[in-house]
Amino acid sequence: LQEEEGFFKKLFNFLFDWIKNNESKIYEESPDKVPVPEKEVFEEKYNEDLPEIDNPKNIISSSIIVDTNQNECFDEHSKISCPSIGKEFYGQDANYETTQASYKDNGDGTVTDLNTNLMWIQDAGNKVTYSKGVNTADSFELAGYNDWRVPTIKELYSLIDFSGEDISIMSDVDFSGENPFIDDETFVFEYGDVSSGDRAIDSQWITSNIYVSKVMNNEECFFGVNFADGRIKCYPTTERGNGYFMRYVRGDFGYAKGSFVDNGDGSISDKSTGLMWTQSDNGEGIDWENALSYCENLNLAGYSDWRLPNAKELHSIVDYSKSPDTTNSAAIDPIFDITEIVNEND
């Protein structure tokens, strides 16, 4: 066991050095974007004893949150030139650049994500009918591996690419020039087959996460990712339309699972991702422009480089085992302080 821990420490040290070098290169090539500053907690993460993750093989995840590839800036109405430091709407996703997506085509029908170390099937094939407890990879084998499984919502969302463009076309069209929310040069991707009754946006992908509560009409639903329009949505577990796509994954069970530490100074460190968070929210509802400004001007726990998280980073701390209906709480670890809101439906 000690030898295995030593191996993982060396591996994580190597990954940390690679990230630092890679971010420096990115900054040189893209001076308009600010690389996310490194915090002490990130470096300490790779040099201390790592916690065990609750999974069958006790595999530890580095859980690197890959950049969204959002490269355009916006105000409250439309696209704008990316603002500089101190200007209105500065601090949005496109102003910052984190670890870039990096995939390896293994040449055997599989793709390895070099950041998360997850291995994916490259071509999901035809749609399947969702069936609770049946959509598993128990009998699936590819490239000599038989330990494939249905991905979690966080794992599947790690593949989303927000340089994509929403498509809301309802009739037949040539999709060759469209830009989905996934790297379609690496992964085989399909829009909905309008000739069989689908909408073009019907490219929903199954995950293993079933919502712990119910949605309208008291329906049970599972969380899925739509790579045609860039959304997470909860879909009925009952049979629906022409079905869904299924992209199996294998590897690490601990991606973005959360290993939180209260630093005792109003901040929380997530040792599974290397990110530091404010323990409390700002305490009141504000619009996006003011949220950007709030984070950019925040001084807390000796740090002044706070920023508004991007979609993937914020998603990493969602706890899908919780909901207001089932746990009387927000869907987040109770180590965080959450301002109560009024349910307007009550």
Side-chain angles (χ1 to χ4, degrees), residues 66-264:
V66 180
D67 193 83
T68 62
N69 204 27
Q70 172 66 57
N71 50 31
E72 295 180 331
C73 292
F74 301 84
D75 59 17
E76 67 269 71
H77 299 298
S78 58
K79 185 167 63 175
I80 60 174
S81 298
C82 284
S84 57
I85 295 176
K87 300 298 184 180
E88 293 179 345
F89 294 99
Y90 178 79
Q92 56 187 284
D93 192 352
N95 283 129
Y96 288 96
E97 194 159 271
T98 55
T99 304
Q100 298 300 291
S102 181
Y103 303 113
K104 178 185 177 183
D105 184 339
N106 298 314
D108 55 7
T110 70
V111 172
T112 299
D113 185 329
L114 298 178
N115 289 304
T116 65
N117 294 320
L118 294 170
M119 181 182 286
W120 299 88
I121 63 171
Q122 191 167 33
D123 185 354
N126 297 326
K127 286 185 175 182
V128 299
T129 300
Y130 182 87
S131 181
K132 183 179 176 182
V134 175
N135 291 125
T136 67
D138 290 345
S139 60
F140 183 78
E141 185 171 344
L142 179 66
Y145 300 106
N146 58 11
D147 57 349
W148 298 95
R149 56 188 173 81
V150 180
T152 67
I153 182 65
K154 290 186 179 182
E155 289 170 333
L156 192 59
Y157 195 68
S158 73
L159 300 180
I160 205 158
D161 181 337
F162 279 106
S163 66
E165 297 176 273
D166 190 5
I167 183 170
S168 301
I169 300 171
M170 304 294 287
S171 59
D172 199 6
V173 69
D174 178 10
F175 297 129
S176 59
E178 301 299 335
N179 185 22
F181 290 78
I182 191 172
D183 182 351
D184 60 345
E185 293 184 0
T186 300
F187 297 96
V188 175
F189 169 81
E190 293 182 34
Y191 287 101
D193 182 2
V194 295
S195 66
S196 65
D198 279 346
R199 300 167 299 170
I201 61 171
D202 284 332
S203 184
Q204 300 93 347
W205 298 69
I206 294 172
T207 80
S208 60
N209 288 87
I210 295 176
Y211 185 35
V212 293
S213 185
K214 297 289 192 296
V215 290
M216 58 184 180
N217 301 322
N218 203 36
E219 278 194 296
E220 183 183 59
C221 62
F222 70 92
F223 287 101
V225 177
N226 189 321
F227 290 110
D229 62 14
R231 292 186 298 171
I232 289 177
K233 194 173 180 180
C234 213
Y235 301 102
T237 55
T238 54
E239 187 173 339
R240 171 189 178 276
N242 292 324
Y244 308 88
F245 291 107
M246 176 89 77
R247 191 181 300 281
Y248 292 133
V249 69
R250 61 176 298 274
D252 205 319
F253 281 82
Y255 177 76
K257 199 165 185 178
S259 178
F260 301 115
V261 175
D262 186 341
N263 298 318

Side-chain angles (χ1 to χ4, degrees), residues 267-329:
S267 71
I268 301 293
S269 294
D270 185 350
K271 294 198 293 182
S272 74
T273 63
L275 294 172
M276 181 183 285
W277 299 86
T278 59
Q279 186 165 24
S280 301
D281 55 39
N282 67 303
E284 60 180 351
I286 55 176
D287 61 24
W288 184 52
E289 181 180 1
N290 285 317
L292 291 166
S293 177
Y294 173 86
C295 294
E296 289 295 320
N297 293 300
L298 182 65
N299 281 277
L300 179 70
Y303 298 105
S304 59
D305 57 352
W306 298 96
R307 58 185 173 82
L308 200 64
N310 66 42
K312 285 187 178 181
E313 290 170 332
L314 189 60
H315 187 234
S316 75
I317 60 172
V318 174
D319 186 339
Y320 281 92
S321 70
K322 297 178 172 60
S323 78
D325 291 337
T326 55
T327 58
N328 195 33
S329 69

Side-chain angles (χ1 to χ4, degrees), residues 2-34:
Q2 290 180 344
E3 291 180 359
E4 290 181 357
E5 290 177 348
F7 168 76
F8 282 116
K9 287 181 182 178
K10 290 179 181 178
L11 176 61
F12 291 141
N13 282 325
F14 168 78
L15 288 173
F16 176 70
D17 291 338
W18 181 88
I19 293 168
K20 290 197 297 184
N21 294 334
N22 191 51
E23 286 184 344
S24 298
K25 180 180 179 182
I26 292 168
Y27 183 56
E28 290 171 2
E29 294 176 350
S30 307
D32 293 335
K33 287 193 174 185
V34 177

